[in-house]
Amino acid sequence: MTIFLMYHQDVIEEIIALKTADLALRDRLVKEGKLFEGYHKAMEELHISNAHRLNEIIDQYGFPILEKIGKEASQAAWLVVQHAISLPSFMKRYQELLMKVESPSQISKEQLAYLSDRIAVFEEQPQLFCTQFDWDANGLLSPQKYDDLSTVNKRRNHLGWNTVEEQTQIIRAQAVNENNHCPNNLESRQQEMKLWKYKVGWLRKS
């Protein structure tokens, strides 16, 4: 049986640094107007590198519950996982580990909701909390496929969140602020995304 060690402070700081590097690259690509032109290669490479390092840390020290690493590092670890979209098995592993934590106080239900929705969307299943958005046929950012709206809003309310309708307006305003706009050829982008899902393993051909 493996006995996991407590997290050292330098490892906690390293996890936070992974998040810092991610957000710094994102900010740079936003300023250069390059972030929203598909999945930028440099962004994907950093996401994969961060995920591999976090996976190594988890293998050595165990799941990063709040008691072990604190709120800031816990949020940083979750962001690394949330952005590791080219590694389905890693994201699913983290989701399973989150769900196995015995004490609810040692995980974030909000993080689990976001991660579960993200996995569902990439597998083209209905999301339960409406945290994931994309461009619709009218050129507007809208929630991706989701469960019954009333039920979703009840789940969101249970987490202390606003309604789907309110969140949609916030997401659209944020897109305007970041100069994020609908692709000129939305159908082509959707086809590329579908192929990418098959390539990395989110979808499998029957």
Side-chain angles (χ1 to χ4, degrees):
M1 179 173 136
T2 302
I3 299 177
F4 290 122
L5 306 173
M6 289 300 292
Y7 275 64
H8 299 302
Q9 184 59 36
D10 59 338
V11 178
I12 293 174
E13 292 173 359
E14 182 181 1
I15 294 173
I16 295 172
L18 297 177
K19 171 188 174 181
T20 301
D22 183 311
L23 296 182
L25 178 56
R26 184 186 189 280
D27 287 345
R28 178 170 68 81
L29 293 176
V30 168
K31 292 176 182 177
E32 295 174 357
K34 297 178 180 178
L35 183 66
F36 306 113
E37 298 175 357
Y39 194 11
H40 196 281
K41 182 178 180 181
M43 193 88 262
E44 181 176 22
E45 289 176 348
L46 181 62
H47 287 162
I48 292 174
S49 174
N50 281 354
H52 284 322
R53 178 56 187 141
L54 180 59
N55 199 44
E56 291 173 349
I57 290 173
I58 292 173
D59 283 342
Q60 181 174 357
Y61 294 97
F63 187 75
I65 59 176
L66 290 170
E67 182 183 18
K68 287 185 176 182
I69 65 175
K71 185 176 181 179
E72 184 180 6
S74 174
Q75 291 176 336
W78 166 79
L79 181 136
V80 169
V81 177
Q82 191 79 349
H83 289 177
I85 60 176
S86 295
L87 302 170
S89 60
F90 173 65
M91 293 182 71
K92 292 177 183 178
R93 179 197 184 198
Y94 198 89
Q95 179 192 35
E96 291 174 359
L97 291 173
L98 261 178
M99 296 173 69
K100 288 179 179 178
V101 175
E102 295 181 359
S103 174
S105 65
Q106 290 303 322
I107 67 167
S108 166
K109 293 181 180 178
E110 292 81 3
Q111 290 178 10
L112 181 56
Y114 267 96
L115 181 57
S116 297
D117 271 4
R118 202 160 181 82
I119 290 172
V121 164
F122 281 122
E123 293 184 332
E124 300 189 353
Q125 299 298 317
Q127 52 179 333
L128 301 182
F129 298 89
C130 267
T131 63
Q132 307 299 299
F133 288 71
D134 203 356
W135 300 104
D136 64 21
N138 297 316
L140 297 172
L141 276 175
S142 296
Q144 294 177 267
K145 183 167 66 172
Y146 57 86
D147 194 11
D148 173 73
L149 179 60
S150 175
T151 305
V152 170
N153 275 332
K154 288 179 181 178
R155 295 190 189 106
R156 291 179 64 88
N157 182 65
H158 184 70
L159 292 175
W161 291 352
N162 58 8
T163 65
V164 174
E165 296 88 342
E166 292 168 336
Q167 185 64 14
T168 299
Q169 296 307 311
I170 291 173
I171 292 293
R172 290 175 179 175
Q174 180 181 339
V176 172
N177 184 56
E178 293 184 338
N179 196 30
N180 184 8
H181 52 80
C182 183
N184 293 327
N185 192 330
L186 182 59
E187 182 178 353
S188 175
R189 178 183 180 276
Q190 292 172 337
Q191 291 175 347
E192 290 175 359
M193 176 61 71
K194 174 80 76 172
L195 292 174
W196 175 83
K197 289 177 182 178
Y198 280 115
K199 176 184 176 183
V200 300
W202 286 113
L203 299 177
R204 298 185 183 280
K205 294 181 179 180
S206 56

